Amino acid sequence: MHDFTPWSALAGGALIGLAASLFLLTHGKVAGISGLYGGIFRREASDRGMRAAFVVGLLAAGVALRVAAPGLFSTSWSASLPLTAVAGLLVGFGTQLGNGCTSGHGVCGLSRLSVRSLVATGSFMVAGFATVYVARHLLGGGR
Amino acid sequence: MMRYLSAAAAGVLFALGLAVSGMTKPAKVVGFLDLFGAWDASLAFVMAGAIGVHFVAQRLIKRRAAPLFDGRFHLPTRRDIDARLVVGAVLFGVGWGLGGFCPGPGLVSAGSGSSGALVFVLGMTVGMLAEHWGVRLTSSRGRVS
């Protein structure tokens, strides 16, 4: 095990929990990022402005952190650009089909003790473990 | 105005949490998913921190009659487990494992100007539009037949 950072992980996780709570308190909705972002593009979208404001918050924080703490984004490994595009397609399609991602199902759904979210979280975790196993250890694609 | 400001503030706070916890580093995410390699358990602590806070807070918040800037709560009510849920989650998990990004960290990293994240968000947006289009197509076919 290398790069194990339990304290910053716990602190960052608590901030994520606070952010989801702030969103619930102010808007009464689950802070599911794939749902909030994907909803902007739905024809029947409600609250498009509020959804966009949330996403602008995410992007603006990314801009600010790039200046203030660029080390948070540095990486020793990243997938090739074509593979990253395929990964994006799968993540986009899958989160809309399954109504959620790590935030909506993982954080908010599990906090609400939702059985649907438990099934979804179990499914994407197992699929993630299996994918990395195949890519890294069977195909040896990961460095 | 407060509706938009509070949504943006939640987005900023969420992004800070993702960055502090290491979720904006694909290497760290894939290290967590590499259960059979040099496993980095950190991301389990991210989930524990987030759920620990939100589990308590959402219970307190839901005691209110309504949220601050909306007339009522809009929480998911579905309880059924269907194929869409599982297939969607599995496709998402495969994409997460391949790229090391889930939607939140992808968007935050795209904001930071990372070319990989920009490609990821572009692909993700196309994937979302494809799903919306597929649902419209199948539901309009259903009406015809």
Side-chain angles (χ1 to χ4, degrees):
Chain A
M1 198 143 68
H2 58 90
D3 262 359
F4 183 50
T5 52
W7 296 111
S8 58
L10 210 52
L15 286 176
I16 292 170
L18 275 179
S21 305
L22 174 64
F23 193 71
L24 181 68
L25 175 66
T26 52
H27 294 275
K29 287 193 170 80
V30 163
I33 295 182
S34 62
L36 287 170
Y37 178 68
I40 295 174
F41 306 105
R42 286 190 189 274
R43 278 188 186 171
E44 69 278 22
S46 61
D47 285 340
R48 201 172 258 135
M50 182 276 289
R51 292 165 184 275
F54 180 84
V55 172
V56 166
L58 290 176
L59 294 171
V63 175
L65 286 169
R66 173 59 179 257
V67 178
L72 293 172
F73 298 100
S74 73
T75 172
S76 51
W77 175 89
S78 63
S80 68
L81 289 184
L83 189 61
T84 302
V86 172
L89 283 172
L90 288 167
V91 168
F93 193 91
T95 54
Q96 300 302 291
L97 190 67
N99 297 113
C101 61
T102 353
S103 50
H105 280 313
V107 174
C108 297
L110 293 189
S111 294
R112 298 169 46 245
L113 306 177
S114 153
V115 176
R116 262 175 73 82
S117 291
L118 182 64
V119 169
T121 305
S123 303
F124 68 66
M125 296 286 294
V126 168
F129 289 139
T131 301
V132 172
Y133 178 72
V134 170
R136 277 220 166 151
H137 302 291
L138 295 186
L139 304 176
R143 286 143 294 261
Chain B
M1 195 59 199
M2 280 308 291
R3 279 175 55 79
Y4 299 123
L5 281 179
S6 59
V12 168
L13 195 58
F14 210 117
L16 278 178
L18 290 170
V20 167
S21 62
M23 298 278 302
T24 45
K25 293 176 182 168
K28 194 141 183 80
V29 173
V30 173
F32 169 71
L33 293 175
D34 193 6
L35 203 54
F36 304 98
W39 190 48
D40 174 1
S42 306
L43 265 56
F45 288 74
V46 181
M47 289 300 279
I51 293 172
V53 168
H54 194 56
F55 176 77
V56 176
Q58 58 101 18
R59 275 164 185 261
L60 300 175
I61 292 165
K62 282 193 295 193
R63 288 185 188 167
R64 298 177 55 92
L68 291 175
F69 306 123
D70 200 301
R72 61 182 182 90
F73 285 98
H74 307 266
L75 292 169
T77 50
R78 285 179 63 179
R79 303 185 68 88
D80 58 310
I81 310 296
D82 59 355
R84 284 175 55 103
L85 178 77
V86 177
V87 173
V90 166
L91 291 176
F92 162 48
V94 172
W96 192 33
L98 287 179
F101 282 122
C102 52
L107 287 164
V108 178
S109 302
S112 84
S114 148
S115 55
L118 288 165
V119 168
F120 172 82
V121 167
L122 189 66
M124 178 173 87
T125 309
V126 172
M128 287 175 164
L129 291 170
E131 198 275 343
H132 299 173
W133 179 72
V135 167
R136 276 206 304 278
L137 198 70
T138 48
S139 63
S140 61
R141 260 190 201 151
R143 276 200 293 276
V144 168
S145 58

